[in-house]
Amino acid sequence: MMFRRLAILIGLMLLLTFAFQGCAPEYYLTIQLEKIGGKPYMLTEYIDSTSTGETFFSVYAPKDEKWAEWQPVVTKRLGRAVHMFAMPSKPAPASDGVPLPATSERLGILHAQRVTLFDLSTNPPGHSSQTLPFEWLAETTGTHQDTLYAFGVDAEVYQKPKYEGGLLVARYDGQQWQEVKVKGPTLHGGESGIWLQAVPQKDGIRLFWREYRKDQVTLAELEGPRVVTDGPLMMARFDGQAFVGEPVAISNLPRGNVTAWADGDTVKFLVQTRHQTQDALSHNGPMEIWKLGADGIAQQVESIEGSRKRGGLLAYLFAQHYSMDGQEFIVRSNPQIVEIWRKASAGTEPGATWSRVMVKPAGLPTYDLESMLLAGLGMALTAIIFGVGLAFHRRRAALLLVRKIRSQDIYASLGVRVGAYAVDLMAILTATCLISRLRGTPFVSPFEMLTEFLGTPHWPFFFTYLGYLTVTEWLTGTTAGKFLMGLCVVADNGERPTLWAAVVRNFVGFFERLPPVCMFVTMWMIIFSPRRQRIGDIVSRSFVVHKGALQVLKDQRAREQAERKLAQTDGEVAEVSASLLPPGDMGGWGGKDRDRNEK
């Protein structure tokens, strides 16, 4: 029996490991949004942590206007994706010399030494690749007077602790890229490089840059490399021929990662703030929107207080603003998950506000570090609780052999039931994750499954929970966890519960085990009720008992009943024998016969 229980426990742990492996195969390095053909496209660059650690990129597009579900357009291409941009509506030569047709739905992705072009009007998208005629790293693009320009810095910016070099420019003529020989402003890179972004306006292209600094919270192997921009935000203007004037320093923006966009004649900045170290450890810094004034000083426009909520164990890292059809969106992420915010229309609600409308949109890859750590913790706690419960059970079984068992000894205590439920819970979570993977639905953290007590339950978890516990208790009277702990469920007649009783018991039990109910009601009922029953046990007229103790009690009562029957039989025999004798005093009756015989 001992080996069977160990085998079941090891099997559950292996199944749990398999279920959670692959749910988090990658983590984001960056996320970019671009409007192409009136539709948003999202570039995700990530490291595949389950293979050789190569860098891949994919491009996704939403299936509907709600952005609730995304579908891949370009899937898992090898290589570093530095920047995504919309291509001008001009033909582009393919790698085999045959030009791609002119279209307004062409997407370009800049790499370290090349550019990849995708024609999104075809399915699957046609693509071509060109080698860039320069060796520096093109990090951003902007369009001025229907001409596309790329801006960047020397690749040494990521190789030296302190970088200093000029801003470099290249032009795309519809067929080829050419480097523009102009003198750009000098950039000073931080310890982790330079953030650079171009914002097209009527009088030219505004270039913004800021120093990147390390912002590591835990190990890079767990959360990916984290950087944050800090220091003054620098601005320069390029008119298509040269840089105009001297760079301007914007020194009052808060510490945090920045994205910029044009709002009419002005420029706005979205900052995912990192005011202090605690914004990446104990809580999340809020998103703030700033506006660039005519005097070159930024002024805060909005602070989205609802954005302080963290994404799992890690604070959010990236945030990007996006406008489409008069509606404003924010997409932000950490190396784990993506969430989407939308601004309410000013005409429908007074004082338009931002609200989070989507977390972990379906179809996007997820790296849920929180779930991975909770899974490992759950496996460890399950093993510990199992060991403690098994030792208690063996000690109890030994005590039963040396003393007479009482009826109250058969009911399972709170500690043993917690150990059994921990094993069952791991099995249920494992099954839920496996079913989600087979169905292709987005991964949901086990922590979220267990704590959604104020809202709608996670239905896959709920039905797996109810089905598993109901069927196993109805058919066998026990579950995997109860079997490991030597427990079983019985009705008030000592037999297995009926199907209806098992349904009622576990349906009520789902809500009894929600954290606040369990803490203030369920736990105390099991401790103080005479038969260790919770509400679900009472309404279904069932009990959780030690299977071995129940059998010992049954055998003991069978012996007692047999002894009573034997004693009753002996008494009846004695009564029958006495009834066959003549009435009167046996001694006197015997004496008279003796006297008569003597005579």
Side-chain angles (χ1 to χ4, degrees):
M1 183 67 70
M2 176 66 177
F3 291 106
R4 289 175 58 189
R5 290 174 178 169
L6 286 176
I8 292 176
L9 180 66
I10 293 172
L12 286 175
M13 294 180 69
L14 291 176
L15 187 62
L16 181 67
T17 303
F18 173 77
F20 284 92
Q21 183 181 9
C23 292
E26 52 216 16
Y27 54 80
Y28 297 115
L29 287 178
T30 184
I31 286 180
Q32 300 177 35
L33 283 174
E34 186 66 45
K35 183 189 297 183
I36 301 174
K39 187 176 182 180
Y41 288 85
M42 180 186 296
L43 169 69
T44 64
E45 184 189 11
Y46 49 87
I47 293 178
D48 190 335
S49 60
T50 62
S51 60
T52 59
E54 298 282 358
T55 301
F56 294 87
F57 70 90
S58 296
V59 179
Y60 298 85
K63 288 186 176 181
D64 52 35
E65 296 180 356
K66 296 182 179 180
W67 295 18
E69 185 173 358
W70 293 67
Q71 59 186 356
V73 178
V74 177
T75 307
K76 203 168 185 179
R77 299 257 178 174
L78 180 63
R80 171 83 193 281
V82 180
H83 178 70
M84 179 176 67
F85 59 95
M87 291 290 296
S89 301
K90 297 179 182 180
S95 56
D96 56 3
V98 179
L100 295 173
T103 175
S104 61
E105 298 184 26
R106 290 196 298 139
L107 175 150
I109 295 180
L110 289 168
H111 309 281
Q113 297 295 325
R114 60 186 176 90
V115 60
T116 304
L117 310 177
F118 295 95
D119 182 6
L120 303 179
S121 62
T122 64
N123 189 17
H127 68 279
S128 66
S129 182
Q130 296 181 9
T131 300
L132 296 174
F134 46 84
E135 296 183 355
W136 47 270
L137 193 64
E139 295 198 49
T140 187
T141 60
T143 302
H144 180 61
Q145 297 180 352
D146 297 327
T147 301
L148 180 66
Y149 295 90
F151 304 88
V153 294
D154 195 284
E156 293 182 356
V157 68
Y158 296 104
Q159 301 171 3
K160 295 182 179 180
K162 290 292 183 179
Y163 171 82
E164 182 176 331
L167 186 58
L168 305 172
V169 186
R171 179 191 296 113
Y172 180 68
D173 61 6
Q175 298 292 329
Q176 298 290 335
W177 287 90
Q178 298 176 351
E179 187 172 7
V180 180
K181 301 298 182 180
V182 297
K183 182 179 180 181
T186 300
L187 280 67
H188 299 275
E191 59 183 5
S192 299
I194 297 175
W195 169 80
L196 180 64
Q197 185 176 351
V199 178
Q201 289 191 294
K202 294 180 181 179
D203 59 349
I205 300 174
R206 292 286 194 282
L207 277 302
F208 298 93
W209 64 92
R210 202 180 192 190
E211 294 183 3
Y212 266 135
R213 297 179 184 174
K214 291 182 180 180
D215 188 39
Q216 207 70 43
V217 179
T218 62
L219 297 176
E221 291 78 5
L222 290 177
E223 60 170 339
R226 295 173 66 95
V227 291
V228 64
T229 65
D230 200 0
L233 179 71
M234 305 300 297
M235 179 182 68
R237 182 168 66 91
F238 179 74
D239 64 1
Q241 301 296 325
F243 287 93
V244 180
E246 294 295 325
V248 177
I250 305 169
S251 59
N252 59 326
L253 277 181
R255 181 176 183 267
N257 287 326
V258 183
T259 57
W261 75 96
D263 185 12
D265 294 333
T266 187
V267 176
K268 287 185 177 180
F269 307 102
L270 173 64
V271 186
Q272 175 54 68
T273 59
R274 286 287 190 280
H275 292 289
Q276 51 189 348
T277 305
Q278 287 75 9
D279 290 337
L281 292 173
S282 59
H283 61 272
N284 192 81
M287 291 188 292
E288 298 178 357
I289 297 178
W290 294 67
K291 179 179 179 180
L292 180 62
D295 55 358
I297 299 177
Q299 299 176 351
Q300 184 176 336
V301 178
E302 295 179 77
S303 178
I304 307 174
E305 288 301 318
S307 62
R308 289 183 178 272
K309 185 175 181 180
R310 298 174 62 185
L313 293 179
L314 302 179
Y316 284 96
L317 188 62
F318 312 105
Q320 184 170 347
H321 179 274
Y322 184 89
S323 297
M324 183 177 67
D325 299 331
Q327 186 72 62
E328 293 185 73
F329 296 88
I330 291 176
V331 176
R332 73 170 180 171
S333 71
N334 55 24
Q336 299 181 33
I337 59 177
V338 176
E339 68 175 20
I340 297 174
W341 292 69
R342 183 175 60 201
K343 190 172 186 178
S345 302
T348 58
E349 295 184 13
T353 58
W354 290 91
S355 61
R356 188 173 65 172
V357 296
M358 188 60 55
V359 181
K360 301 179 187 176
L364 295 177
T366 299
Y367 173 70
D368 204 327
L369 176 62
E370 177 185 30
S371 296
M372 295 295 290
L373 295 179
L374 287 174
L377 179 61
M379 292 168 61
L381 289 177
T382 300
I384 293 172
I385 293 173
F386 168 73
V388 173
L390 189 59
F392 174 81
H393 176 69
R394 293 181 65 183
R395 178 177 177 273
R396 186 180 184 87
L399 290 176
L400 293 176
L401 299 177
V402 298
R403 67 178 178 86
K404 186 176 180 180
I405 190 171
R406 300 170 299 173
S407 59
Q408 58 265 34
D409 293 331
I410 68 172
Y411 302 114
S413 62
L414 176 64
V416 182
R417 292 181 68 167
V418 168
Y421 181 66
V423 176
D424 288 330
L425 186 60
M426 290 299 105
I428 294 168
L429 293 173
T430 300
T432 305
C433 293
L434 284 174
I435 293 172
S436 299
R437 289 184 62 185
L438 293 175
R439 295 184 58 195
T441 54
F443 178 72
V444 176
S445 165
F447 183 76
E448 293 183 23
M449 297 183 196
L450 300 176
T451 55
E452 287 293 332
F453 54 89
L454 295 178
T456 304
H458 181 63
W459 294 115
F461 172 75
F462 174 78
F463 288 119
T464 304
Y465 172 97
L466 191 61
Y468 165 77
L469 293 178
T470 298
V471 172
T472 54
E473 291 182 359
W474 172 49
L475 294 179
T476 66
T478 188
T479 61
K482 291 183 177 67
F483 176 80
L484 290 171
M485 294 297 178
L487 307 180
C488 65
V489 180
V490 295
D492 52 5
N493 60 359
E495 302 296 329
R496 292 198 305 266
T498 63
L499 176 60
W500 175 247
V503 171
V504 172
R505 181 179 187 277
N506 291 294
F507 179 80
V508 176
F510 177 84
F511 299 97
E512 283 188 276
R513 287 165 176 146
L514 296 176
V517 182
C518 181
M519 183 178 300
F520 295 106
V521 180
T522 309
M523 181 176 66
W524 302 108
M525 288 194 66
I526 296 176
I527 293 175
F528 293 110
S529 63
R531 296 183 179 182
R532 308 279 177 84
Q533 290 177 294
R534 54 178 176 82
I535 298 176
D537 297 327
I538 296 173
V539 297
S540 64
R541 301 178 68 180
S542 61
F543 311 92
V544 179
V545 298
H546 294 276
K547 189 174 182 180
L550 178 63
Q551 188 60 45
V552 171
L553 181 63
K554 286 182 177 179
D555 295 341
Q556 179 177 297
R557 288 189 172 179
R559 289 193 303 269
E560 292 175 352
Q561 186 175 6
E563 291 173 357
R564 285 196 300 268
K565 286 184 177 180
L566 181 59
Q568 183 178 2
T569 302
D570 292 342
E572 291 177 352
V573 170
E575 291 177 2
V576 171
S577 300
S579 65
L580 295 176
L581 296 175
D585 182 61
M586 292 182 63
W589 186 77
K592 291 179 180 180
D593 285 344
R594 184 173 61 253
D595 294 340
R596 186 181 301 115
N597 291 334
E598 290 176 352
K599 291 179 180 180

